Amino acid sequence: MTDGTNPPSHPQPEPAPGSGGYGFPPGPPAQGGYGYPTPAGGYGYPQAGQQPNPYQQDVGGYQPDAGSGYQQDVGAGYQQDAAGGYPQDAGAGYQQDPGAGQWSAAPAQPGFTRLAGPDLPGSSQPDWEAMADRSAAERRKKRLWMLGGGVTVLALLAGGGTFFLMGNDDDGQDAQPANSASASPEPEDAKGPAAYTATVAGDDTLLRDSYGSMGIRLGPDLKVGPLGKRFQVVGRGNGNSWAQSAEPVVDVTKSFTVTARAYNSAAKGSRIVMSQGDGESFSFELGVNEVNGKQAWIFRVQTGDKGAAATTRTVTAEGLNMVKTPTLLMATYDAEKKAIALYVDGKKAGETPVPPIWQAPGPLQLGRSKHHNIWTGPWQGALHNIKTYDMAFTAEQAAGYKEGKLDPSPKPTHAWLLT
């Protein structure tokens, strides 16, 4: 026992001769001390004859070799986050090579950490320059897309144009459907002929004559609207739905033909496509009138200067679908035969003999006609492809015109709103 003053002594046995001492391997210690590697030239530096490792990290962090190419591109999207890591930018093109295996570090050694590099098996060196090029290309593409989108928006805001709603409006008009309108479109092909224009340059209220020099002035409520890539005029069916030329267009003392494509949206009443004369009465009129209580297409001429019913001659086309139906109308006067005829969609509706037509004073009218010194028949609907000829078409020519197979094709004296 002990009283605590002199604790017991447990002497250690002496180490065996040549064992190297307590806890150490026998023999002299390795160069640089126990537990540390022995690289020549200092820790973390290559031995003589060995290539330096460009991905080597010392105690202070990454120290890139100037020639290794491992330098961060400021625009590449590599930014350090709050945790000290380097998240990969989605646009940098930093993708793993399928043949390279998993990215992994070489076995850790004391004093430094070595990343998998080109001199280590099981890893592949990314093409840093190609990745930087791809990243720059992606950034340029995004900038171009943003710039193009901005220009498109500005162009739409600057050149919106005018839009016509070809549907039911306040007065019940229902014309042919369309999306947008412009009387002077851009040419479809810069190398081809200039695009067709419906109106005279600089004047959107004057219809351009494609075969003569007789423009037609539009009234307040007869507007130019689109028809595919061409144009039509649309009337609202009120007293302002008209247009007129400056002078007479048709010589009614000689043979003539007038034609137009019409879309009537009025279910009742008189609706005139065209007429001539602005005095007490018309010389001729073509359009819609009620016959036997129902609407019918009519071609009527006046043979007396008072506009009396007894001196008019009329050809009608009854029993047809009159409303919201695109229709080709053609009216002729044969001065030799002294007869008028009406054709609907290329088919002859009728013919009647007439004495000479009275030559009423005044210009060609669209969308109205003069009866006893009163304007009647305001047009409600759409009109286009309006032409006049100084000849009377035959039944064969009228059918050929409808099919677009009229050969040789007679030349119009005047034409507006061609399609």
Side-chain angles (χ1 to χ4, degrees), residues 13-99:
E14 294 293 329
S19 65
Y22 299 110
F24 297 95
Q31 180 180 357
Y34 297 110
Y36 294 92
T38 59
Y43 300 112
Y45 295 91
Q47 301 180 12
Q50 178 182 358
Q51 294 295 324
N53 177 14
Y55 305 100
Q56 182 170 288
Q57 180 184 7
D58 63 11
V59 177
Y62 284 109
Q63 299 294 332
D65 181 77
S68 70
Y70 199 86
Q71 297 180 7
Q72 180 179 351
D73 181 359
V74 176
Y78 293 98
Q79 299 179 1
Q80 184 173 4
D81 61 16
Y86 290 83
Q88 178 182 344
D89 179 40
Y94 205 114
Q95 300 178 0
Q96 178 184 348
D97 184 355

Side-chain angles (χ1 to χ4, degrees), residues 10-368:
H10 301 282
Q12 296 292 327
E14 294 293 329
S19 65
Y22 299 110
F24 297 95
Q31 180 180 357
Y34 297 110
Y36 294 92
T38 59
Y43 300 112
Y45 295 91
Q47 301 180 12
Q50 178 182 358
Q51 294 295 324
N53 177 14
Y55 305 100
Q56 182 170 288
Q57 180 184 7
D58 63 11
V59 177
Y62 284 109
Q63 299 294 332
D65 181 77
S68 70
Y70 199 86
Q71 297 180 7
Q72 180 179 351
D73 181 359
V74 176
Y78 293 98
Q79 299 179 1
Q80 184 173 4
D81 61 16
Y86 290 83
Q88 178 182 344
D89 179 40
Y94 205 114
Q95 300 178 0
Q96 178 184 348
D97 184 355
Q102 298 291 328
W103 293 101
S104 60
Q109 297 187 21
F112 65 95
T113 301
R114 186 175 184 182
L115 299 176
D119 56 337
L120 294 179
S123 66
S124 64
Q125 167 67 10
D127 188 344
W128 307 108
E129 184 174 355
M131 291 178 181
D133 289 342
R134 286 194 295 270
S135 178
E138 289 292 333
R139 292 195 302 275
R140 286 195 299 270
K141 184 183 297 184
K142 291 176 182 178
R143 286 196 297 270
L144 289 174
W145 273 108
M146 293 177 66
L147 179 61
V151 171
T152 300
V153 171
L154 289 176
L156 289 174
L157 291 176
T162 304
F163 290 81
F164 287 86
L165 299 179
M166 302 303 177
N168 290 324
D169 56 17
D170 294 339
D171 61 3
Q173 173 192 341
D174 188 358
Q176 290 169 279
N179 298 322
S180 64
S182 172
S184 301
E186 293 295 325
E188 296 177 16
D189 184 355
K191 297 181 180 180
Y196 175 80
T197 57
T199 55
V200 173
D203 191 345
D204 287 340
T205 67
L206 187 62
L207 295 181
R208 184 174 67 86
D209 186 352
S210 298
Y211 282 86
S213 57
M214 190 66 67
I216 296 182
R217 180 69 61 186
L218 296 172
D221 286 332
L222 191 65
K223 303 291 188 179
V224 175
L227 181 63
K229 295 183 179 180
R230 294 299 179 101
F231 305 96
Q232 61 187 350
V233 288
V234 181
R236 297 171 63 89
N238 58 29
N240 290 323
S241 300
W242 56 266
Q244 69 177 19
S245 62
E247 300 175 1
V249 171
V250 177
D251 185 351
V252 297
T253 66
K254 300 177 181 179
S255 296
F256 67 86
T257 295
V258 294
T259 181
R261 293 184 182 271
Y263 183 89
N264 171 43
S265 59
K268 60 182 179 180
S270 173
R271 305 293 171 178
I272 300 302
V273 172
M274 74 174 79
S275 69
Q276 185 163 286
D278 64 357
E280 188 172 348
S281 184
F282 59 89
S283 280
F284 71 85
E285 62 181 4
L286 173 66
V288 178
N289 200 7
E290 289 193 359
V291 178
N292 298 322
K294 295 182 180 179
Q295 284 188 323
W297 295 112
I298 61 98
F299 177 47
R300 181 181 290 128
V301 297
Q302 181 57 255
T303 63
D305 62 356
K306 300 302 181 181
T311 55
T312 61
R313 300 291 185 272
T314 306
V315 180
T316 64
E318 301 178 58
L320 301 176
N321 189 356
M322 300 295 301
V323 182
K324 300 179 183 179
T325 304
T327 305
L328 172 61
L329 299 175
M330 179 179 287
T332 67
Y333 168 63
D334 190 326
E336 294 183 2
K337 291 176 57 176
K338 292 183 173 50
I340 59 172
L342 173 64
Y343 299 87
V344 179
D345 288 331
K347 298 179 180 180
K348 194 171 186 177
E351 180 180 286
T352 188
V354 297
I357 299 174
W358 175 58
Q359 192 171 7
L364 184 76
Q365 305 286 331
L366 299 183
R368 65 181 181 177

